[in-house]
Amino acid sequence: MQLKRLRKEAQSGFSQCKSSEQLEALRVGLLGKKGKLSEILKQMGTLEPEERKKVGQEANALKQDIEAWIEESRVRLGQSTKNKILGQSLDITLPGKKPALGAIHPLTQTAYEILDILGDMGFESVRGPEIEHDFYNFEALNIPPEHPAREMQDTFYVAPEVVLRTQTSPVQIRAMMALQEVPLRVACFGKVYRHDQDATHSPMFHQIEVLCIDQDVSFADLKGTLTLLARKLFSEKARVRLRPSFFPFTEPSAEVDMSCFGCDGAGCRLCKNTGWIEILGCGMVHPSVLKVAGIDSEKNSGFAIGMGVERMAMLRYGVSDIRLFFENDIRFLGQF
Amino acid sequence: MHISIQTLRSLVDLPDLSPQELADKLTLGGLEVEAIQAFEDDTILELKITPNRPDALSHMGIARELAAICHTRTTFLAPSIKELGGSIHDLVQISVVSKEACPRYACRVVEGVQIAPSPDWLHKKLLSLGLKPINNIVDVTNWVLFERGQPLHAFDLDTLAKPKGRIALKIRSASAGEKLLTLDGKERSLLETDLVIADEDKAIALAGVMGGKITEVSNSTQNILLESAYFEPRGIRKTAKRLGLSTDASYRFERGTDPNGVIAALDRAASLIQEIAGGRIRRDAADVYPKVIEPLEISLRPHRLAQFSGLPEVEPAELRTRFLALGIETSGRAAHDALKFRVPTFRPDITDEIDLIEEAMRLIGFDQVPARIGFRKSLDGKSLDVSLDKLERHMKTFLSQAGFFEAINYSFGSPTELELFKATDLLTLQNPLGEEYSAMRQSLFPGLLNNLRHNLRQQVQKLSLFEAGVVFWGKNPAGQKPEMANLTAHNMAADAYAQEKLFLAGVSYPGDFFALKGILESLFDSLKVSVDFKPLSLQLSFLHPSQSANIWLQDAPLGFLGFLHPDFKEEASACVFALDLDLLKSHCFKPIQVKPLPKFPGIQRDLALVVDEKVLAGDILGVIRNFKTLKPILEDAKIFDVYQGKGIEPGKKSIAVSIYLRDLEKTLTEEQVNLPVESLKQELNTKLGAVLRV
Ligand SMILES: [Zn+2]
């Protein structure tokens, strides 16, 4: 009799249950250690065997039903919570909570991109001192004192024979002297200094020096490397043109023009209607430079490339005044 | 340099090309045309000649280049001369004292000239080249210089000392302090390294650079002495540079003129003078040329050319024809299939096989070389130390994503500003752009603070900047000559002379110490480096003394973090930091060794400790971390609350700390934990006077 009453009570309890807290209370009240059903089962020991069997079966059936009702109620309640959540909406046009974001300097970004392209071609990044001996900055590079080529570079002096490097090329010498073996493929990104200041010249600027030495490296390899670099950095369609030029530490030396990415060579304002943009200087490493560094110039040859990072960045981003790079105005830096 | 196309056409058989087409040919041949201008019925090309090509500093030089480029020939005429009267040797005697500095000196005498303005054709030629016509004599010398590249000088013969009726010219070093009034009207004080032309009494010209005022050709000049010489380039350059004088003559001499072109130019000028200004050319040229400079003979191996250029091998016959157009003649056959060439003395840039290879490539055209990448890709396992680059890049990426903008400032700054940041052994420039750029920076802060001020002026209210850059120390302030280098390390700088270190510094405005510290802590976590932040013990006078920290990496000072000193006024509300990347480099990017995930549960114990308010949170963590009894099971300890106020005695504070314990081998039991934690409380009490908060 107790069981029948309990069944009715439970049934109505579950059907009226409105929340998961109520449901849990119901469950504990029925099936918990001190729950009603548990109490009934505890008293069964006092019954006759026949009676005990019957009540046992009935109680078990009720227990199974209660478990089923709990499950049903759970599903029912879950759905109503879900519907409630689904009913709530967000104004997704309100602003997000942005973490503060800065930026890497455009010169660094440009240099990293170039170094990465070179890295894929097997060029490793090296560094050299910014305060250099005359020996590395000039003499080892085939620029003896009184050489007219020194006029091309106005030099800052720290002491007699100690200069602020005017180019990253001394790193060529240091890399060759340090490694002494081929193949040698290095790239050096760094600051260089010239006694010069106006809208297109800064007394400090950045260069990337590229050096490749191995058996049988030819001018064709240089041209191939430059073509790949121009295509990856500027445009898939870029072509390069090499014009004979003069640097004391390379021979032959060349100035490199790239087909204008603004007009693809047809002529526009960017290229002053020539279809070409001068991007860098390069050449085959002069045998006497190899000799200074202790590398056999009969067995080995190589090329060197020197590029101005500011020039590359100005071209890429359309910057016309070099001084913007060193003002560090957040309105400029914030655009990168 | 200016080149007249009309004059060019008189010197070389040119195909029918427009000025632009001619310019393009020259540019692609390595003689860059920077501008094309019309001048009356002529067209003028403006060329930028590289310093290795003195031969191209004249119309004949450019004509020769075009002949080679266009496969045509030059039409140069050998100068003819009509001599009259006695020999020059009866009148002029030359003695070259400085034989090394002046390998060749020659002159001619023209008597009875009529000084007048130049005829129209010459007048126009000079104007078209941007030169100022002066008189028919000077104009001829200038014109021949631009025609042939040989500088000439005309003296008024009657201004030269003539004891016993003879002029004795001396080419000698100046005596120290010797004075010479040059053509530009300036009195020059000379050194022993300067070369002069002198008569018996005095210096009359600064050799190869500028003539003297006293012996200048004037309107009353009747007789002239015409000089043509070859001076050693280095000496001329030294003098010209020291005096800050660059003349058309010195520009050419210092790059190298043709010692064997001296007489042709002299004769050309003498006969032009005769033609224009009348007069008689005395018989003979005086010519002191004791040691003839012979053309060099150089071998070229065609296979080396092919290997070096990537061009297909060129036929010897073609090479010979190509070179001949430049005046480079074949000179028999050298050993081993090499070709031998005789290089004319007007090409001082060609001294080796590599120079001939360059000439050949230039003539064939760089555009004929294929583009390919044939070099080996692998580095055969050799590798360089790139950890500094990797670290720098990592930090830049991290900081830019944490809200910092990268700045780049000049490496030199004002010594006064640098002194504010504890400069020692500042390295200064001998020739700075100005006082404010005269010292190599030893701190990145002057630059960053300037950037901060600049941005604050633009109404920016919040700003975080960083810069990574080399800072410099002088190692040898006595100015001794530096020693040669050890060649491997990055920071050996100019070796004995300077020390360079790569630093990264930042500024955050307005400053929030713990926000910045948190960013740095995350940064160090990302580098897997553990550092200690400790109260300032290294004297850094520009920092707030009690709101700043030294950052230690083991026992070495890695950097610092904190508020600027209130002396900085406006910027004092900024927080700054600086880190030594050279030091940090050797401690990060260590290979990762994964620890097994814990198999057994850990236990957390929270302690609320009351301590004197002077006790630092770090001291408490230090005691916990170093407490031996707990060490085997201590996983971590963290501060989670600091409290002062109600319920806490004044002068004291409560610090709450969570201690995480775990045994890697088995499940920790309460007994295992209770005893050591009890003795930890004891230890905290003994060492820091900490009592449990009740
Ligand atoms: Zn264009």
Side-chain angles (χ1 to χ4, degrees), chain A residues 127 133 136 146 193 251, chain B residues 237 358 392 411 487 495:
Chain A
R127 286 167 187 262
H133 277 291
Y136 294 104
E146 310 305 326
Y193 307 87
E251 181 148 22
Chain B
R237 181 172 171 76
E358 176 183 40
E392 191 182 341
S411 306
L487 297 168
D495 319 306

Side-chain angles (χ1 to χ4, degrees), chain A residues 259-277:
Chain A
S259 54
C260 175
F261 53 85
C263 61
D264 200 21
C268 69
R269 251 180 53 192
L270 189 65
C271 56
K272 297 187 193 102
N273 274 314
T274 61
W276 296 96
I277 295 176

Side-chain angles (χ1 to χ4, degrees), chain B residues 434-641:
Chain B
E435 219 279 324
E436 76 274 31
Y437 296 129
S438 63
M440 298 309 290
R441 64 179 172 183
Q442 209 167 82
S443 164
L444 301 168
F445 289 120
L448 286 171
L449 293 186
N450 273 331
N451 302 151
L452 173 62
R453 283 189 285 269
H454 168 88
N455 281 291
L456 291 179
R457 279 197 298 274
Q458 319 302 326
Q459 276 106 45
V460 172
Q461 274 147 23
K462 238 182 111 186
L463 179 67
S464 295
L465 289 169
F466 76 92
E467 178 168 9
V470 171
V471 292
F472 306 83
W473 280 266
K475 270 167 59 178
N476 192 354
Q480 291 150 13
K481 204 173 158 183
E483 282 161 41
M484 267 313 154
N486 141 34
L487 297 168
T488 45
H490 140 257
N491 60 354
M492 80 260 118
D495 319 306
Y497 199 81
Q499 193 191 7
E500 295 185 13
K501 274 184 156 205
L502 184 65
F503 265 73
L504 187 144
V507 55
S508 196
Y509 179 96
D512 175 337
F513 183 93
F514 293 104
L516 188 55
K517 185 180 176 190
I519 288 171
L520 293 183
E521 283 171 326
S522 289
L523 176 57
F524 292 125
D525 287 349
S526 74
L527 291 166
K528 311 275 181 291
V529 173
S530 71
V531 301
D532 293 310
F533 291 82
K534 291 185 180 163
L536 273 192
S537 54
L538 302 175
Q539 185 55 41
L540 294 169
S541 53
F542 52 93
L543 292 179
H544 189 301
S546 54
Q547 295 190 3
S548 303
N550 285 124
I551 305 171
W552 294 85
L553 207 170
Q554 293 164 7
D555 293 327
L558 176 67
F560 53 82
L561 154 73
F563 276 99
L564 281 176
H565 197 278
D567 286 348
F568 279 92
K569 309 217 168 68
E570 187 185 18
E571 302 92 60
S573 54
C575 262
V576 298
F577 72 92
L579 301 168
D580 175 347
L581 298 196
D582 280 311
L583 172 64
L584 186 55
K585 171 195 106 167
S586 38
H587 294 266
C588 45
F589 302 121
K590 299 256 167 70
I592 292 171
Q593 268 296 310
V594 171
K595 288 189 208 108
L597 301 185
K599 291 195 188 79
F600 304 98
I603 287 180
Q604 176 184 345
R605 283 292 157 90
D606 293 347
L607 303 178
L609 302 161
V610 176
V611 290
D612 189 275
E613 66 182 354
K614 291 209 175 70
V615 172
L616 303 178
D619 300 339
I620 293 173
L621 290 179
V623 169
I624 297 172
R625 286 187 185 134
N626 293 320
F627 186 55
K628 283 216 172 61
T629 327
L630 207 60
K631 224 167 199 173
I633 54 168
L634 181 70
E635 198 174 59
D636 203 357
K638 277 183 189 153
I639 305 289
F640 69 89
D641 189 36

Side-chain angles (χ1 to χ4, degrees), chain A residues 321-334:
Chain A
D321 188 340
I322 198 168
R323 286 171 293 203
L324 273 177
F325 290 123
F326 304 108
E327 243 169 34
N328 301 308
D329 189 310
I330 206 77
R331 296 167 299 179
F332 174 70
L333 297 178

Side-chain angles (χ1 to χ4, degrees), chain A residues 164 193 204, chain B residues 409-419 426-429 432-443 446-447 450 472:
Chain A
L164 299 192
Y193 307 87
M204 180 191 89
Chain B
N409 287 290
Y410 290 161
S411 306
F412 24 67
S414 133
T416 340
E417 274 182 47
L418 285 161
E419 301 287 352
L426 265 189
L427 210 54
T428 51
L429 293 175
L433 280 175
E435 219 279 324
E436 76 274 31
Y437 296 129
S438 63
M440 298 309 290
R441 64 179 172 183
Q442 209 167 82
S443 164
N450 273 331
F472 306 83

